Amino acid sequence: MIDPVQNTSKTFQADANETLDPADWSGFRQQAHRMLDDMLGYIETIRERPVWQPIPDEVRASFRSPAPRQGEALAQVHAEFMRNVLPYAQGNVHPGFMGWVNGGGTPVGMVAEMLAAGLNANLGGRDHIPVEVERQVTRWVRDIFGFPEGASGLFVTGTSMANLIAVLVARDAALGFDVRSRGVAAESRRLTAYTSNAVHSCVPKAMDIAGLGSDALRLIPCDSRYRIDLKALEKAIQADRAAGFTPFLVVGTAGTVNTGSIDDLAALADLCQREKLWFHVDGAFGALAKLAPDLAPRLNGIERADSVAFDFHKWGQAPYDAGFVLVRDGEKHREAFVSPAAYLHRAARGLAAGSPWPCDFGPDLSRGFRALKVWFTLKALGTERLGAAISRSCALARYLEGRIIATPELELMAPVELNIVCFRYRAQDATPEDSDRINEEIAVRLQESGIVAPSTTRLEGRTVLRAAFVNHRTSRAEVDALVEGAVEQGRSLQSVKTCSS
Ligand SMILES: Cc1ncc(COP(=O)(O)O)c(C=O)c1O
């Protein structure tokens, strides 16, 4: 039997070799300081590094070794990290990164992550201050988007998960919350949802995971600015009603992934109100334009949404990952996920107090302390500085637009709505396929140059170069390097083609 007197924290001294804590705390502390210093140095001198570099075969091969049975000195593991991991990261911390939609992070967020890891808090539930930190950020988010007090919010991995949660709440609100036990297969009503054909692929995926099927998501055509065509949307809803379907959801986008376009959110809010449909906004990166006074009016109508999904790891500059879902009716949100269990019993006092818990609002029970890095970011930098960085990203996009228009070898491929610019190298006398290949190759060569890293996408059936300005470190110098690099690579590819033809 355990002797309760002997087993107090005062008298119990674990043998340091039995726990996983360091035997030599002072040596560990010095090593930990070196690791912190190295990472701060990495960010401080990031401009001296390539944005990205190909991974040598021997480096890749070094990650094929079996799980170690015995540990080695932390200093050695750290040296391996410095040698084989750090130089081959994706590069989104670097100002030259402008591919896809990736945030740059900040040193503030980085050290906050370290504090969160030290606390090792589990934010699934229970009564502790880390949960209050998440609730405080939720209240801030509510204020940013003009949502009412009863609105609920939850940190998740990213907007893909936030969109899924919103689709599930909307589905359950439409079918009745007992659909959670009955299952969608038992449902005779055939739900349909609506969004533009510029939607991010995670929304059809959410419809699929929700058991409604991606075909039930009607992809409505866009206007010339890649915004949902409202007349076509209304027509599609009426046609579906006439055919016996049950429309339940409209997903508007605030910042489409291809071109950064913002749907007319106020008009969508009106339509959803009229048609009694759930109005969700996918604002993965664009929603935080609310923090920039010059851009915020473009999001008018978002305050009337039933739910909003967005990421703090994009324009919020928090380290990955930090997605967020905000739901106007917190009770509906809870009803869509609450799952009572004896071992998750709630109490009026003690550690099991504080219901409802975050696990009542999403699929995850174990949840890390994502809120802390966002709390630190907002407190240490403030919404004004974050908003200014967002405005600067859009100014850079306009600067790039101007440079493309002034460069005859380049062609602007979509209106510049926010922070994304799509363009092409005009390959002379090339077939559309050759022209696509040349532009694809330009992107790869620019990435391999280590100077700038754009990505590509397809617009109107053509491959285009795409620069998305999200990183707060990016400046005109990187935009100039992109323009000059694209022209130089395009010319060199063109000359190879001319010589070989
Ligand atoms: C408009 C839009 N929606 C959803 C997503 C998915 O977000 P996440 O990668 O955080 O899951 C993205 C990602 O870029 C996006 O641009």
Side-chain angles (χ1 to χ4, degrees):
M1 239 182 77
I2 297 171
D3 177 340
V5 177
Q6 286 298 310
N7 196 34
T8 62
S9 55
K10 260 193 189 153
T11 55
F12 182 77
Q13 278 295 325
D15 178 343
N17 289 324
E18 283 176 13
T19 76
L20 301 176
D21 287 333
D24 167 16
W25 274 101
S26 128
F28 185 91
R29 194 180 289 263
Q30 281 176 18
Q31 173 60 27
H33 282 291
R34 274 197 291 276
M35 290 164 76
L36 177 62
D37 268 348
D38 277 352
M39 279 324 281
L40 291 175
Y42 171 75
I43 302 176
E44 190 182 0
T45 60
I46 192 72
R47 287 173 179 78
E48 296 163 21
R49 299 173 171 276
V51 50
W52 178 83
Q53 54 185 325
I55 306 164
D57 289 346
E58 64 279 11
V59 171
R60 204 182 289 276
S62 75
F63 291 92
R64 304 284 189 263
S65 54
R69 290 177 63 89
Q70 302 294 326
E72 58 187 308
L74 179 60
Q76 252 172 284
V77 184
H78 178 223
E80 188 178 344
F81 168 84
M82 294 302 288
R83 195 172 57 247
N84 285 349
V85 177
L86 181 134
Y88 306 106
Q90 183 184 247
N92 48 306
V93 173
H94 194 286
F97 192 95
M98 47 190 77
W100 301 274
V101 188
N102 278 228
T106 67
V108 168
M110 176 191 126
V111 290
E113 272 287 60
M114 184 192 68
L115 302 185
L119 275 185
N120 194 21
N122 180 347
L123 275 79
R126 293 161 288 273
D127 196 21
H128 49 123
I129 279 295
V131 174
E132 286 303 331
V133 172
E134 181 157 344
R135 289 184 181 132
Q136 178 168 47
V137 177
T138 299
R139 283 191 289 273
W140 291 344
V141 169
R142 221 165 57 190
D143 293 346
I144 289 169
F145 291 108
F147 268 47
E149 248 193 44
S152 51
L154 192 74
F155 273 99
V156 290
T157 43
T159 293
S160 302
M161 180 55 88
N163 280 334
L164 171 61
I165 289 177
V167 167
L168 289 168
V169 182
R171 180 198 72 178
D172 296 359
L175 295 179
F177 291 92
D178 61 342
V179 71
R180 292 184 60 203
S181 45
R182 281 188 291 111
V184 279
E187 180 58 49
S188 57
R189 281 168 292 179
R190 289 175 299 161
L191 296 188
T192 47
Y194 305 81
T195 191
S196 86
N197 58 14
V199 71
H200 191 274
S201 61
C202 66
V203 177
K205 196 192 270 190
M207 290 288 287
D208 154 18
I209 299 171
L212 302 172
S214 53
D215 287 353
L217 180 67
R218 313 300 201 212
L219 299 181
I220 308 299
C222 286
D223 64 15
S224 59
R225 291 172 57 193
Y226 293 95
R227 299 172 308 175
I228 192 165
D229 177 334
L230 292 159
K231 286 213 168 74
L233 169 62
E234 275 203 88
K235 262 191 176 167
I237 293 169
Q238 302 321 334
D240 276 339
R241 284 201 202 283
F245 290 97
T246 305
F248 80 110
L249 164 72
V250 172
V251 179
T253 307
T256 58
V257 63
N258 261 348
T259 62
S261 303
I262 302 173
D263 286 335
D264 184 341
L265 303 179
L268 289 180
D270 288 342
L271 182 144
C272 288
Q273 195 171 355
R274 258 193 335 269
E275 297 284 340
K276 298 193 175 25
L277 302 175
W278 186 281
F279 176 33
H280 173 67
V281 176
D282 173 355
F285 60 95
L288 280 183
K290 262 280 181 198
L291 300 183
D294 57 325
L295 302 168
R298 314 256 311 267
L299 295 170
N300 281 351
I302 201 168
E303 70 288 348
R304 293 167 61 199
D306 290 296
S307 49
V308 177
F310 70 98
D311 287 321
F312 279 107
H313 57 226
K314 293 189 166 88
W315 255 347
Q317 309 295 345
Y320 280 80
D321 48 31
F324 200 91
V325 61
L326 179 69
V327 180
R328 170 175 301 278
D329 185 333
E331 191 43 33
K332 285 190 177 137
H333 186 181
R334 196 187 67 86
E335 278 197 75
F337 288 98
V338 68
S339 299
Y343 42 83
L344 297 176
H345 159 76
R346 313 302 157 87
R349 288 176 20 247
L351 197 41
S355 189
W357 292 351
C359 66
D360 300 329
F361 294 90
D364 295 319
L365 176 54
S366 290
R367 305 175 62 249
F369 199 179
R370 293 187 182 102
L372 191 67
K373 59 196 171 192
V374 172
W375 187 80
F376 261 90
T377 301
L378 290 168
K379 278 181 91 76
L381 301 176
T383 54
E384 285 185 11
R385 261 183 95 184
L386 288 170
I390 290 169
S391 291
R392 268 202 315 278
S393 302
C394 296
L396 281 180
R398 291 193 299 275
Y399 174 67
L400 173 56
E401 176 186 29
R403 288 231 43 196
I404 291 165
I405 291 169
T407 307
E409 284 153 295
L410 300 179
E411 181 183 8
L412 192 67
M413 297 301 288
V416 176
E417 297 286 341
L418 208 58
N419 60 331
I420 297 180
V421 183
C422 292
F423 65 104
R424 248 166 101 86
Y425 179 79
R426 290 183 207 264
Q428 301 300 317
D429 306 322
T431 63
E433 294 74 24
D434 278 346
S435 185
D436 285 352
R437 269 193 291 275
I438 285 174
N439 279 282
E440 195 65 63
E441 180 62 19
I442 290 173
V444 172
R445 287 188 177 193
L446 289 175
Q447 292 161 7
E448 287 174 344
S449 77
I451 298 168
V452 286
S455 58
T456 62
T457 188
R458 303 271 297 169
L459 278 183
E460 315 295 338
R462 300 165 79 186
T463 298
V464 301
L465 294 160
R466 177 177 163 286
F469 299 104
V470 188
N471 188 325
H472 57 100
R473 299 183 184 97
T474 307
S475 67
R476 286 187 172 203
E478 285 76 29
V479 175
D480 290 339
L482 172 69
V483 170
E484 279 137 34
V487 170
E488 185 188 321
Q489 296 303 338
R491 278 183 194 156
S492 109
L493 285 159
Q494 184 93 66
S495 69
V496 171
K497 205 190 148 288
T498 318
C499 294
S500 61
S501 55

